[in-house]
Amino acid sequence: MTWESFGARLRRAMDERGPLCVGIDPHASLLAEWGLGDDVAGLERFSRTVVEAMADRVAVLKPQSAFFERFGSRGVAVLEKSVADARAAGALVVMDAKRGDIGSTMAAYAESFLHKDAPLFSDALTVSPYLGYGSLSPAVVLARENGAGLFVLALTSNPEGGEVQHAVRADGRDVGATMLAHLAAENAGEEPLGSFGAVVGATLGDLSSYDLNINGPLLAPGIGAQGATPADLPAVFGRAVRNVVPNVSRGVLRHGPDVTALRAAADRFAEEIRAAVDAS
């Protein structure tokens, strides 16, 4: 069976709902702000509320796997239900797990998140290419087979990332640019959008020295609490701005646990993002 590609589903969701991605990041301090315990019951309440508030209106929800895994098997069970419920309500799910390894281990990670029959099957998975881009091959292959996608760490917003991503290769191109070139090759000829995206921080300022036109999505963390604003997007991403999926986590989630307040915050960000992109 041929599955509709992640890129096609994402393009449609972005056009219909706007490009906003909201994180599901139940870290301990945020659970406390919501008046919830730092336990499985609090995790479940938090996740259920975010999915209820967001899954029928935003293009993408992005659960951070680590915040569920820290509770063991019961936390992973909450994650499984959150993923299933979010997808059933129409949101695409990007699993933020940043997996990266080689050979059969990378294949097993891929099976966990990118196989249609997996309990944690997600529309896309974040992955780390820093064992070499070729190490991601099992995930690339399985994503293609199952209509899923990848977001590859390329130019991340954390300050430490530069020591790897800005390292210059023998050919004169830095590592971040090399990852973007690999992704452009993966997406060549795909319409309306390729399924293999890059993670590129919205806080990085002028990126005009990089070719961000990879014919794939650009997942852009950093909006809100990290200091970037929707108005910054055109300057950072240039001609690729219409393929940007801006991620907001705390900027929306701090308005919980009230569902109406969460929705209002997401709607405000979505409108600001739409206005910025349309004006570019």
Side-chain angles (χ1 to χ4, degrees):
M1 179 180 296
T2 300
W3 306 101
E4 183 182 30
S5 72
F6 169 66
R9 298 197 308 279
L10 179 61
R11 179 79 274 163
R12 183 170 62 249
M14 292 169 70
D15 291 345
E16 292 176 355
R17 297 185 172 198
L20 179 64
C21 167
V22 174
I24 307 179
D25 296 357
H27 48 74
S29 62
L30 196 49
L31 292 175
E33 286 181 30
W34 280 35
L36 300 173
D38 187 21
D39 52 26
V40 173
L43 175 73
E44 186 172 22
R45 171 73 184 280
F46 180 95
S47 302
R48 185 173 65 246
T49 301
V50 177
V51 171
E52 177 188 348
M54 301 293 157
D56 65 346
R57 64 188 54 221
V58 302
V60 179
L61 285 174
K62 182 174 72 65
Q64 170 47 260
S65 179
F67 292 124
F68 295 82
E69 292 176 37
R70 69 193 185 100
F71 293 106
S73 60
R74 294 175 66 198
V76 173
V78 174
L79 180 58
E80 289 177 7
K81 181 164 177 52
S82 298
V83 169
D85 289 349
R87 298 186 75 240
L92 300 181
V93 171
V94 173
M95 182 62 70
D96 194 356
K98 298 183 179 70
R99 297 302 197 246
D101 215 303
I102 61 172
S104 59
T105 308
M106 190 66 230
Y109 280 139
E111 290 277 345
S112 299
F113 299 105
L114 301 172
H115 193 285
K116 280 283 185 181
D117 297 331
L120 284 169
F121 174 72
S122 303
D123 295 280
L125 172 68
T126 60
V127 291
S128 173
Y130 295 110
L131 289 171
Y133 183 84
S135 67
L136 301 179
S137 178
V140 171
V141 170
L142 199 63
R144 290 192 187 281
E145 290 176 355
N146 289 272
L150 299 176
F151 282 100
V152 177
L153 303 179
L155 296 167
T156 57
S157 56
N158 62 306
E160 305 89 347
E163 68 183 58
V164 175
Q165 295 155 22
H166 299 325
V168 178
R169 293 160 31 102
D171 63 5
R173 187 166 58 184
D174 75 16
V175 172
T178 299
M179 296 308 156
L180 293 170
H182 281 302
L183 292 167
E186 298 287 1
N187 294 323
E190 294 294 326
E191 295 182 356
L193 187 68
S195 297
F196 299 94
V199 178
V200 179
T203 56
L204 295 178
D206 182 6
L207 292 175
S208 58
S209 62
Y210 290 92
D211 186 0
L212 299 176
N213 291 292
I214 62 171
N215 191 34
L218 302 169
L219 182 63
I223 303 289
Q226 293 184 45
T229 70
D232 295 327
L233 294 172
V236 176
F237 292 96
R239 291 182 299 118
V241 72
R242 293 187 182 279
N243 292 337
V244 171
V245 183
N247 174 232
V248 181
S249 294
R250 182 174 287 276
V252 170
L253 300 178
R254 66 183 178 85
H255 294 278
D258 182 78
V259 168
T260 300
L262 286 166
R263 288 174 174 166
D267 289 347
R268 285 194 299 272
F269 273 107
E271 182 52 40
E272 290 176 18
I273 291 165
R274 192 188 304 272
V277 171
D278 288 347
S280 64

